[in-house]
Amino acid sequence: MHQRILILDYGSQVTQLIARRVREAGVYSEIHPGDVDDAFIQEQKEQGLKGIILSGSHASAYHENSLKVPAGVFSAGVPVLGICYGMQSMALQLGGKVEFSDHREFGYAEVRAHGHTRLLDGIQDFATAEGHGMLKVWMSHGDKVTELPPGFNLMASTTSCPIAGMADEERGFYGVQFHPEVTHTVQGEALLKRFVRDICACSGDWNMPDYIEEAVARIREQVGDEHVLLGLSGGVDSSVAAALIHRAIGDQLTCVFVDHGLLRLNEADQVMKTFADNLGVRVIHVDATEQFMGKLAGVSDPEAKRKIIGREFVEVFQEEAGKMTNARWLAQGTIYPDVIESAASKTGKAVAIKSHHNVGGLPDTLNLKLLEPLRELFKDEVRKLGVALGLPHDMVYRHPFPGPGLGVRILGEVKKEYADLLRRADAIFIEELRNTIDPETGKSWYDLTSQAFTVFLPVKSVGVMGDGRTYDYVVALRAVQTSDFMTADWAELPYALLKRVSGRVINEVRGINRVTYDVSSKPPATIEWE
């Protein structure tokens, strides 16, 4: 049993980042709704609870209908850290005051530390001429604590927020008005690590190489001698799930790889080579290109395309599953963010981000039990697990690829001709990114970008090649840099790199005569075009 930190979610869009930062400190964490009951807190104590973190929120703590922190949190006998709304709720419920602020803070701020508390002692970004320790942080609040609860001392302040941090060292209760979970708070990682490792006394027993053994044991216990069916997409999540399950039960696993004709260049061959040839996994390869293209003919609406691709995938997968009489389990690459976001959507206890339907939302008629071996892992943990399982680094750390594949990177109607052109142009872009090394970091531009791809535009433009006039298609290059995919900046790729990509695409891919580069950030744009 792992030592654990419980994170109570009050609706912040960045609550997941708290859990990720805690796990990066080597400590297991789970996110649960902010209004769990006291019995749940007691259950967590019996499972190794070492501390509790209260998240931020879009709400105001003093509103009558706002979620309250369960009383059991403050009587559990473990340290508690309140962040933004979490701090305000802590202050209000323990006898302090919270009021609307006439000077809201959103964005960068400089916070002065007070009192040399255990949480902030020795953690600072710079010192003032008077010797005061200062932190560069990210704020996002319209309310503020105006009176400390009994037993608390001032821990931090800004000019517009006199109580930006508070501490009751005796009980191990801390509150910060700023957000240590976001990268904009420079010392945020150090602060959260101080809380979970020093104040909560967690030993740091959470890492992926050691996790393999317990995950394998759990899968074997769940499945027994029954057989498992997995829809292998070639993406990171399903690939790691396949490798982990195969490590546990070997030939009891069968994977179905559906090629819908919208994969990247040579992707089907690479998937088969990695799993069937190198790892010895049983993989059924279904080439359903004609079926998918036929159903997509004449359809240009992005959501309609997604639904068609999802529905056809289900039909193909169900047909293959029907041929196997011994399968009792359906395995999916569900990961922890899927679980968190879907729960928020269903319960309404947090602001929903998006819903998730793994493997296209497979029907109950399959009559299979569900196996989700990655459901407690974040994406970065899944990647580390994949490397530990022996999957190729290039496969595990490649950029995200949407479930509908090139279907949502071809604007408008999807045609095989468009997919073939896009595949080749995209392969050139990715190849040049991998081959171009940034002299300052020593890394390739593929590794320096979080997601890069090519988009096919269903328009033609005039060009000149040799002595002739051309009237061919246009593609757009897209590359972004982000730490969490919630916001993203367009990557400032070197002009020389863009020039090489453009020259190669126009010269090598007959049918494309113009290449553009997307310089939109998220927000207001999204990362994908559809």
Side-chain angles (χ1 to χ4, degrees):
M1 184 185 299
H2 292 283
Q3 298 173 330
R4 63 178 54 202
I5 297 293
L6 170 63
I7 299 165
L8 294 183
D9 181 21
Y10 293 94
S12 169
Q13 296 283 15
V14 292
T15 300
Q16 286 189 35
L17 297 184
I18 304 173
R20 285 179 56 193
R21 299 290 175 261
V22 171
R23 292 195 186 184
E24 285 166 4
V27 180
Y28 180 69
S29 61
E30 284 186 358
I31 298 173
H32 290 275
D35 61 349
V36 296
D37 57 25
D38 292 349
F40 177 81
I41 304 294
Q42 187 57 41
E43 288 173 11
Q44 290 285 301
K45 285 197 70 175
E46 294 168 2
Q47 295 173 23
L49 180 67
K50 300 288 286 183
I52 300 171
I53 299 177
L54 312 174
S55 86
S57 175
H58 58 286
S60 294
Y62 48 75
H63 284 167
E64 189 175 328
N65 59 351
S66 294
L67 290 180
K68 303 295 185 286
V69 178
V73 166
F74 302 119
S75 61
V78 297
V80 181
L81 172 64
I83 296 173
C84 195
Y85 177 91
M87 167 178 156
Q88 294 168 8
S89 291
M90 178 189 292
L92 199 60
Q93 292 178 227
L94 296 180
K97 288 185 179 179
V98 177
E99 299 175 359
F100 175 78
S101 176
D102 56 5
H103 188 99
R104 298 184 298 172
E105 289 182 298
F106 294 98
Y108 176 80
E110 293 181 355
V111 170
R112 176 186 165 186
H114 296 266
H116 301 287
T117 60
R118 287 185 68 195
L119 185 65
L120 296 182
D121 191 25
I123 297 178
Q124 65 181 48
D125 289 304
F126 66 96
T128 65
E130 297 80 18
H132 302 310
M134 302 293 291
L135 295 169
K136 298 177 180 179
V137 304
W138 189 69
M139 290 276 201
S140 179
H141 69 101
D143 300 326
K144 64 182 179 182
V145 176
T146 55
E147 186 177 311
L148 290 169
F152 281 79
N153 294 313
L154 182 66
M155 182 172 68
S157 67
T158 70
T159 52
S160 59
C161 185
I163 304 177
M166 63 183 196
D168 180 342
E169 299 265 63
E170 189 173 328
R171 288 185 287 180
F173 293 169
Y174 299 86
V176 292
Q177 187 58 64
F178 55 89
H179 288 264
E181 67 272 32
V182 300
T183 55
H184 305 73
T185 297
V186 179
Q187 298 295 333
E189 182 180 347
L191 186 155
L192 287 170
K193 185 174 183 180
R194 171 73 57 80
F195 179 72
V196 301
R197 295 295 291 269
D198 297 345
I199 294 172
C200 297
C202 292
S203 60
D205 62 352
W206 178 253
N207 64 79
M208 286 305 98
D210 290 346
Y211 177 78
I212 293 175
E213 189 175 332
E214 61 185 81
V216 163
R218 192 183 308 144
I219 292 167
R220 287 173 178 165
E221 183 180 356
Q222 256 187 295
V223 173
D225 60 358
E226 296 177 329
H227 285 255
V228 177
L229 191 62
L230 182 144
L232 182 63
S233 69
V236 175
D237 300 335
S238 68
S239 296
V240 174
L244 179 61
I245 296 169
H246 185 257
R247 173 77 66 93
I249 60 173
D251 289 345
Q252 291 170 242
L253 169 69
T254 298
C255 297
V256 176
F257 176 62
V258 178
D259 184 350
H260 47 29
L262 299 168
L263 299 171
R264 289 168 283 201
L265 190 66
N266 300 323
E267 186 160 21
D269 292 339
Q270 290 168 2
V271 169
M272 293 302 293
K273 185 172 181 60
T274 298
F275 285 92
D277 299 346
N278 297 344
L279 296 179
V281 179
R282 184 186 295 134
V283 183
I284 298 171
H285 180 195
V286 183
D287 186 351
T289 301
E290 289 188 12
Q291 177 177 335
F292 278 83
M293 290 300 171
K295 296 291 185 179
L296 288 167
V299 179
S300 59
D301 179 73
E303 191 60 27
K305 291 193 293 186
R306 287 178 182 273
K307 287 180 179 177
I308 289 170
I309 293 168
R311 185 186 67 229
E312 293 307 307
F313 180 90
V314 169
E315 287 196 10
V316 174
F317 188 89
Q318 192 167 17
E319 183 179 343
E320 292 302 320
K323 299 174 185 176
M324 301 179 59
T325 58
N326 59 345
R328 297 291 177 268
W329 292 84
L330 169 68
Q332 293 186 163
T334 308
I335 63 175
Y336 198 38
D338 302 343
V339 177
I340 298 166
E341 291 164 3
S342 293
S345 174
K346 289 173 185 174
T347 65
K349 291 176 180 175
V351 176
I353 300 167
K354 56 186 174 182
S355 60
H356 295 264
H357 305 282
N358 287 294
V359 200
L362 289 169
D364 294 335
T365 51
L366 276 173
N367 294 318
L368 298 175
K369 296 174 283 188
L370 196 58
L371 179 64
E372 297 174 315
L374 309 180
R375 65 177 286 115
E376 59 186 24
L377 303 182
F378 284 103
K379 190 76 164 191
D380 52 339
E381 294 172 319
V382 172
R383 295 187 194 278
K384 291 174 184 174
L385 179 61
V387 171
L389 286 164
L391 288 176
H393 185 277
D394 286 350
M395 168 180 272
V396 172
Y397 279 93
R398 67 179 175 174
H399 293 176
F401 189 61
L406 301 182
V408 291
R409 291 180 179 173
I410 297 171
L411 302 194
E413 183 183 4
V414 175
K415 296 181 179 179
K416 187 176 185 301
E417 171 199 358
Y418 298 168
D420 289 340
L421 290 172
L422 178 56
R423 243 188 296 273
R424 292 165 59 199
D426 187 69
I428 289 171
F429 185 29
I430 298 304
E431 181 183 338
E432 290 296 339
L433 285 170
R434 289 190 184 279
N435 291 342
T436 306
I437 306 299
D438 173 51
E440 289 187 17
T441 62
K443 295 181 178 180
S444 75
W445 272 100
Y446 185 85
D447 292 329
L448 290 173
T449 52
S450 307
Q451 192 166 357
F453 54 91
T454 309
V455 179
F456 182 89
L457 309 183
V459 295
K460 286 187 173 184
S461 71
V462 176
V464 177
M465 289 188 181
D467 296 324
R469 168 189 168 109
T470 62
Y471 191 57
D472 288 328
Y473 291 107
V474 181
V475 294
L477 308 178
R478 177 74 159 146
V480 298
Q481 294 173 314
T482 176
S483 61
D484 53 27
F485 289 89
M486 296 177 182
T487 62
D489 293 322
W490 61 275
E492 297 183 30
L493 299 180
Y495 288 154
L497 168 58
L498 292 171
K499 186 176 183 179
R500 275 197 308 278
V501 174
S502 175
R504 285 193 59 192
V505 168
I506 291 170
N507 283 310
E508 296 176 29
V509 185
R510 185 179 294 275
I512 296 173
N513 70 352
R514 193 175 297 270
V515 177
T516 66
Y517 187 53
D518 182 351
V519 292
S520 311
S521 291
K522 176 188 178 182
T526 54
I527 295 176
E528 295 283 353
W529 279 39
E530 284 194 345

